Amino acid sequence: MDVHGRIREILAETIREELAPDQQQLSTEDLIKALRRRGIIDDVMKELNFVTDNVDQELPSSPKQPVGFTDRQSTLLKKTNIDPTRRYLYLQVLGGKAFLEHLQEPEPLPGQACSTFTLCLHFRNQRFRSKPVPCACEPDFHDGFLLEVHRENLGDGTRMADSTTMLSISDPVHMVLIKTDIFAETTLVASYFLEWRSVLGSENGVTNLTVELMGVGTESKVSVGILNIKLEMYPPLNQTLSQEVVNTQLALERQKTAEKERLFLVYAKQWWREYLQIRPSHNSRLVKIFAQDENGINRPVCSYVKPLRAGRLLDTPRQAARFVNVLGYERAPVIGGGGKQEQWCTLLAFLCRNKGDCEDHANLLCSLLLGYGLEAFVCVGTKAKGVSHAWVMTCGTDGTITFWESLTGHRYLHKPTSPDEPSAAEQPKPLYPYRTIGCVFNHQMFLGNCQPSDSVESCVFDLNDESKWKPMSEEAIKSVCAPGATTSLPPFPPLCASTIDASVTSNEIEMQLRLLVSEHRKDLGLTTVWEDQLSYLLSPALASYEFERTTSISAGNEEFQDAIRRAVPDGHTFKGFPIHFVYRNARRTFATCLRSPFCEEIICCRGDQVRLAVRVRVFTYPESACAVWIMFACKYRSVL
């Protein structure tokens, strides 16, 4: 409804009209009267949707839709049910300033595509997204988010949380700022943990904050901009705490966390010294105990993994692997040459920008497989040419070891080759691309490889054998990585359902591709005749390709071949070319297709009675990830 905007306009008008020169102020009553006269208050009351009975027992895996959550497609604001027996934190983002990188950007013209900023929030299992605003030095954020403070113990939902209870809730509001350019490419601008509890000690339970956002990766010490944020408790607090009490609590938590982290660091150093004493060559193995997140903070690797349940969004472990595989792959950006910039992202930052490095993919896949009750680990090692890499491993109850490549969705069985067996020449070459392995870890265990060779081929994955794998104390890991162990751990967000309409998107891309093909052929002096029926017949093939990717089972090929044989008359030739993408940009997909000689041959086909066909099928996955299958085909009379 844009209530704020309308109220502002009416108040400005009222003040202009009603204020006679001799009258210096208007009372609240006058202003309310003016709003009532214009029917605003009735509109607002109609829109508000109060629920008195406690129906809000929804499962934590279905994140609640925020108030006024809008995406580009739907202009209808979703209503939220405000439960008057629950405590909410109303977080308003009231504009930004000093985003100096965008100082020179001209004002976008109406209707012109421009880069946008989007703010993504996560708080206690609830996810929110702001409306996209044009990138500018002072971006015009105006969004309000209603965060429910008391969510965890659903049985406790009958009592409203008081100030003291809320003071003990140490979960921060995680805010991630994403920039989307005109080609729909996303970049991570900032990731910030907002300590909201200062509002508990402020008068009337309302506080205004200016939050300085720092850059990510190599720029984590550089300011990117400032956000103005207003926090308000709803319903208002009966009694507020003194600021001193709040500050003392926060200081105590920081102190406790710092002490736990210090003790873990002392233990990790001791463990590393012992590991090096086994063999000096261990120094060169990829044993990664700590990794830097997007803010340049060193955290134990075990804290990047946690059993994650996808609710009803993904049904099987293999479907989860397919989902992780269609999230984009991008190495952490680095300015200038030299070496790989290391950056393991927090899960929210990875999901919001929809792409990340191999470690981000492996951590997410491992978390999902743990959620499905498998014994899963992230492996850190190298691929060919000594490139460092991370992948996932599951250990079956019968001892079978399966590697999962999180970037491709492929699975490989591992059978160790023993040096005592017949010569290595007779043993088949392994299919997996991994060469060496330094360590494996999950949310509870960390094991360093201490076998004579760190080669994956000869590695024995008997993780309970301490002569082959040196374990870290599970207690030590728990002290810093268990949920709630320290306040510095970012909580894991739930996955969100896709907002993409698969059939609408498939149609749009298909129409754009038809246009691009026709234009390309026109430039070559060729006419283009499309055959809709032939295009339609390509659908089953695309569906079976995706089915094969998620289940490793191929099905339905006979019917497809039969239909094509019937559709192509005697003396005609049929050619088809399927290709798969994980982005939805038609122009970019077309440019890639033209690079393939097979596809180029179809698109530029010359001959008698040439008929062209193209079919696009978008398969949606959670978090707006999608697999896009495209098939180009042509049939023509063979003239010898």
Side-chain angles (χ1 to χ4, degrees):
M1 282 175 72
D2 187 24
V3 179
H4 292 281
R6 284 172 62 190
I7 291 179
R8 261 190 228 106
E9 283 165 26
I10 287 168
L11 292 187
E13 227 175 274
T14 312
I15 289 169
R16 276 203 307 278
E17 289 171 9
E18 315 266 327
L19 267 188
D22 55 332
Q23 200 182 346
Q24 280 312 301
Q25 66 200 61
L26 282 168
S27 67
T28 316
E29 279 75 43
D30 296 335
L31 296 175
I32 294 278
K33 227 181 279 168
L35 290 177
R36 185 159 274 144
R37 211 170 47 228
R38 287 175 174 75
I40 287 275
I41 289 187
D42 299 341
D43 287 357
V44 174
M45 292 314 286
K46 262 195 268 164
E47 287 291 319
L48 284 179
N49 204 348
F50 286 103
V51 183
T52 40
D53 53 352
N54 204 348
V55 286
D56 191 58
Q57 300 286 339
E58 51 180 303
L59 290 170
S61 63
S62 61
K64 224 171 150 182
Q65 287 294 3
V67 190
F69 173 95
T70 58
D71 53 15
R72 242 171 288 177
Q73 290 83 21
S74 70
T75 47
L76 281 172
L77 294 184
K78 302 219 173 110
K79 293 180 185 172
T80 185
N81 293 331
I82 299 180
D83 180 347
T85 63
R86 292 291 177 88
R87 183 77 72 189
Y88 294 93
L89 171 68
Y90 185 43
L91 184 152
Q92 282 172 284
V93 184
L94 305 170
K97 50 180 192 274
F99 283 79
L100 299 178
E101 201 169 303
H102 300 279
L103 195 56
Q104 304 300 326
E105 288 204 5
E107 282 278 302
L109 299 167
Q112 180 191 16
C114 64
S115 301
T116 57
F117 281 139
T118 312
L119 200 57
C120 305
L121 277 74
H122 166 233
F123 178 67
R124 308 205 87 191
N125 242 352
Q126 304 156 79
R127 298 256 313 261
F128 302 85
R129 201 184 189 95
S130 74
K131 295 190 278 288
V133 301
C135 293
C137 181
E138 300 194 348
D140 186 25
F141 286 110
H142 272 283
D143 269 297
F145 307 100
L146 200 61
L147 317 181
E148 194 176 310
V149 178
H150 219 231
R151 255 184 106 70
E152 249 67 311
N153 339 354
L154 286 172
D156 222 13
T158 47
R159 269 199 0 258
M160 192 181 287
D162 58 5
S163 313
T164 330
T165 315
M166 290 194 288
L167 187 59
S168 65
I169 296 176
S170 59
D171 296 344
V173 179
H174 189 182
M175 306 168 73
V176 166
L177 184 62
I178 301 289
K179 177 183 170 183
T180 311
D181 70 12
I182 50 176
F183 307 109
E185 286 294 310
T186 52
T187 29
L188 177 62
V189 181
S191 168
Y192 182 82
F193 293 96
L194 175 72
E195 179 47 78
W196 57 276
R197 287 175 288 177
S198 57
V199 72
L200 300 174
S202 58
E203 278 183 51
N204 319 330
V206 178
T207 181
N208 287 298
L209 307 168
T210 47
V211 165
E212 184 178 18
L213 301 177
M214 302 309 251
V216 292
T218 43
E219 299 169 38
S220 57
K221 302 281 183 286
V222 184
S223 167
V224 269
I226 290 168
L227 289 181
N228 296 321
I229 288 177
K230 181 179 180 184
L231 297 175
E232 193 173 341
M233 292 311 300
Y234 173 85
L237 295 170
N238 309 336
Q239 92 233 44
T240 53
L241 305 166
S242 74
Q243 201 61 55
E244 209 175 314
V245 170
V246 176
N247 293 344
T248 310
Q249 168 74 11
L250 301 184
L252 274 172
E253 283 176 11
R254 277 195 296 270
Q255 205 177 327
K256 232 177 178 170
T257 294
E259 182 57 15
K260 282 183 176 175
E261 287 173 349
R262 188 188 67 82
L263 290 172
F264 181 75
L265 184 62
V266 169
Y267 169 75
K269 282 182 175 170
Q270 171 65 24
W271 184 93
W272 178 242
R273 272 198 299 275
E274 290 169 6
Y275 181 71
L276 288 185
Q277 280 168 7
I278 302 173
R279 260 180 227 99
S281 65
H282 283 184
N283 201 8
S284 60
R285 291 193 182 179
L286 280 178
V287 179
K288 204 151 183 44
I289 304 173
F290 293 94
Q292 280 196 1
D293 66 10
E294 68 265 28
N295 291 326
I297 293 167
N298 266 324
R299 299 199 317 193
V301 288
C302 298
S303 69
Y304 289 90
V305 171
K306 179 194 132 176
L308 181 64
R309 286 171 31 186
R312 301 199 181 276
L313 300 177
L314 296 166
D315 295 320
T316 65
R318 294 187 190 188
Q319 204 181 0
R322 176 64 174 150
F323 157 59
V324 175
N325 146 225
V326 296
L327 285 169
Y329 168 62
E330 181 182 79
R331 301 210 9 203
V334 60
I335 300 172
K340 176 183 166 184
Q341 163 64 25
E342 191 201 57
Q343 175 182 310
W344 291 30
C345 278
T346 54
L347 183 54
L348 186 69
F350 175 37
L351 294 175
C352 289
R353 73 176 178 151
N354 247 318
K355 57 186 180 189
D357 212 331
C358 63
E359 291 88 0
D360 302 327
H361 285 81
N363 290 334
L364 174 55
L365 179 56
C366 182
S367 300
L368 287 165
L369 296 181
L370 288 166
Y372 281 113
L374 301 177
E375 189 181 4
F377 295 88
V378 174
C379 306
V380 180
T382 61
K383 292 196 292 190
K385 298 184 183 162
V387 179
S388 62
H389 189 61
W391 66 96
V392 179
M393 163 181 94
T394 50
C395 310
T397 45
D398 57 354
T400 52
I401 299 294
T402 310
F403 291 149
W404 303 62
E405 176 46 68
S406 58
L407 296 177
T408 60
H410 292 323
R411 297 160 59 254
Y412 308 96
L413 278 175
H414 173 264
K415 292 189 175 63
T417 55
S418 156
D420 317 332
E421 284 179 21
S423 70
E426 292 169 27
Q427 296 176 358
K429 203 172 175 318
L431 297 167
Y432 49 78
Y434 318 120
R435 294 286 174 271
T436 68
I437 182 164
C439 63
V440 301
F441 67 87
N442 62 17
H443 62 303
Q444 291 170 328
M445 296 162 79
F446 182 95
L447 301 139
N449 180 2
C450 50
Q451 295 166 58
S453 158
D454 63 353
S455 140
V456 178
E457 283 182 41
S458 59
C459 186
V460 177
F461 287 95
D462 178 1
L463 301 179
N464 297 320
D465 184 345
E466 295 198 10
S467 67
K468 294 186 170 63
W469 293 93
K470 179 171 169 58
M472 260 196 182
S473 140
E474 290 193 22
E475 283 305 306
I477 292 171
K478 209 182 276 174
S479 73
V480 285
C481 296
T486 64
T487 50
S488 61
L489 282 186
F492 267 48
L495 294 182
C496 276
S498 178
T499 54
I500 295 169
D501 183 324
S503 39
V504 171
T505 315
S506 304
N507 268 341
E508 279 174 2
I509 298 174
E510 196 169 302
M511 297 324 284
Q512 289 168 336
L513 285 175
R514 280 192 172 201
L515 208 64
L516 290 165
V517 170
S518 301
E519 281 177 4
H520 186 74
R521 285 177 64 84
K522 196 173 171 187
D523 293 345
L524 300 172
L526 299 168
T527 56
T528 310
V529 184
W530 294 102
E531 189 174 309
D532 287 347
Q533 175 60 10
L534 186 59
S535 298
Y536 181 67
L537 294 185
L538 305 176
S539 296
L542 300 182
S544 78
Y545 297 147
E546 182 62 22
F547 183 70
E548 192 174 342
R549 288 285 174 107
T550 43
T551 59
S552 314
I553 299 163
S554 155
N557 206 9
E558 308 78 21
E559 293 90 336
F560 167 63
Q561 289 184 355
D562 196 53
I564 293 295
R565 283 199 189 100
R566 291 171 58 90
V568 178
D570 283 351
H572 282 61
T573 304
F574 170 85
K575 287 180 180 173
F577 176 78
I579 186 164
H580 163 255
F581 296 97
V582 294
Y583 47 81
R584 307 190 300 280
N585 182 332
R587 205 167 275 281
R588 200 171 138 201
T589 53
F590 184 63
T592 310
C593 292
L594 280 179
R595 280 189 223 124
S596 151
F598 297 109
C599 189
E600 208 245 357
E601 200 176 290
I602 291 173
I603 291 171
C604 308
C605 176
R606 296 166 181 271
D608 185 17
Q609 296 179 19
V610 176
R611 297 288 179 272
L612 290 169
V614 60
R615 189 69 172 165
V616 176
R617 175 72 167 90
V618 174
F619 295 88
T620 57
Y621 285 90
E623 297 295 333
S624 306
C626 56
V628 179
W629 282 96
I630 300 174
M631 192 163 190
F632 289 101
C634 67
K635 67 174 188 183
Y636 56 91
R637 172 175 290 185
S638 319
V639 181
L640 291 171

